[in-house]
Amino acid sequence: MYSRSCPVKNVLYDPEAMMISTVTQYQNELSHGNIRGLTAANLPTYLAFIRDFCFSIALNSELNFEQQLFIIGLFLKQSDSHLNNITRLSELAENFNIMISDGTLLEHFQALPSVSAIKWHFFATQDSFFVTHIYKNKEIPTCNIKKFDDFIECQQMLMRSLNTNEASSNNDNIFIVANPNREHHAYTEILKISQKIIDEHLAEYPHLLNNFLLYSIYNDQFMAHLGKRPTEYFKFLILDILMLKSYLAGIAIQQEKLTKDSVVKLFQSYFRRRQHYPGLLAFMDEKIKEAELQSEYVIFSLLKN
């Protein structure tokens, strides 16, 4: 399992944390010849090219965060059948750069639908799994759960913000998880009204999300060490971002602002939990495949507000 919890504090808020430069270096000089458990002998030939193209998109300051993700995801999807053909990948990358320059890809992004019900279903299903898979019981004294890790405090802020019947009850000892069978309206409203607070924080720290994206690509290496294809990795990344943005919305509403400490606490605790429960990847993969029976592009709809 890949880990992003430890260096989060040093990465997110440092404007120079993800400064990237290109150097010539032999494989056996990089990480003692080992990249996420892969050596030069079994390193996918496409990895460096795919990674460098994604870096170039993530570093394009003319694109916002969601546009960067869309272009990266679309490139990974279209490159999936050409991973062993570097020449074809190079042609595809060139075509993408042209379509970025002439605005074609941004038009495609703009045309994406925003489907609140799908967004809620992905979030609620995963939120429920995060808790019930670990504790096997939704009704657990909150004081006991909070001793386990900081993630619960962040998660409960969103649950209180949703103002469900359970969350608004007077029983503070009941721990709440999202219910995928509920309507999405309260969740959608929370995302909407919290956006101003989140935007203010991002305006103060404009490199935050970009640092996260660059570090994710750098650290995860597209989960090649787990036998995943780049397009599969992208789907997991989008679900992670959906979860993080949702919990940030709850924190923003409850605290009426975001702080460095609250954001770092969420990112660290979220990925700590992700790291310790590898079964979550299989669960996420199952839910993605179920949704893709309706549309193979469903994951892209999660990028739209």
Side-chain angles (χ1 to χ4, degrees), residues 67 70 105-113 304:
Q67 291 168 343
F70 170 72
L105 288 179
L106 295 186
E107 289 178 5
H108 290 325
F109 174 75
Q110 191 63 32
L112 280 175
K304 295 299 288 288

Side-chain angles (χ1 to χ4, degrees), residues 18-42:
M18 293 308 299
M19 296 289 287
I20 294 176
S21 59
T22 301
V23 297
T24 300
Q25 201 164 17
Y26 292 105
Q27 173 63 39
N28 59 10
E29 296 175 336
L30 293 172
S31 303
H32 306 289
N34 186 310
I35 295 181
R36 304 296 291 168
L38 296 174
T39 63
N42 57 13

Side-chain angles (χ1 to χ4, degrees), residues 14-21 59 211 214:
D14 183 353
E16 299 182 356
M18 293 308 299
M19 296 289 287
I20 294 176
S21 59
L59 290 169
N211 278 7
L214 288 166

Side-chain angles (χ1 to χ4, degrees), residues 214-232:
L214 288 166
Y215 182 75
S216 295
I217 296 170
Y218 170 80
N219 181 71
D220 301 340
Q221 297 293 327
F222 303 102
M223 294 185 181
H225 60 295
L226 297 177
K228 301 298 183 183
R229 301 174 74 84
T231 190
E232 293 178 294

Side-chain angles (χ1 to χ4, degrees), residues 237-286:
L237 176 63
I238 294 304
L239 286 189
D240 279 337
I241 291 170
L242 172 68
M243 301 303 291
L244 290 166
K245 283 189 171 183
S246 299
Y247 294 131
L248 280 177
I251 295 171
I253 295 298
Q254 291 293 311
Q255 297 185 342
E256 299 183 347
K257 65 177 180 178
L258 291 178
T259 65
K260 284 186 179 181
D261 287 343
S262 64
V263 173
V264 168
K265 183 176 184 177
L266 169 62
F267 275 66
Q268 284 183 324
S269 62
Y270 175 85
F271 284 110
R272 189 180 301 121
R273 179 159 295 214
R274 288 275 281 102
Q275 178 185 357
H276 292 161
Y277 293 90
L280 182 58
L281 279 184
F283 177 81
M284 292 165 64
D285 189 44
E286 176 186 348

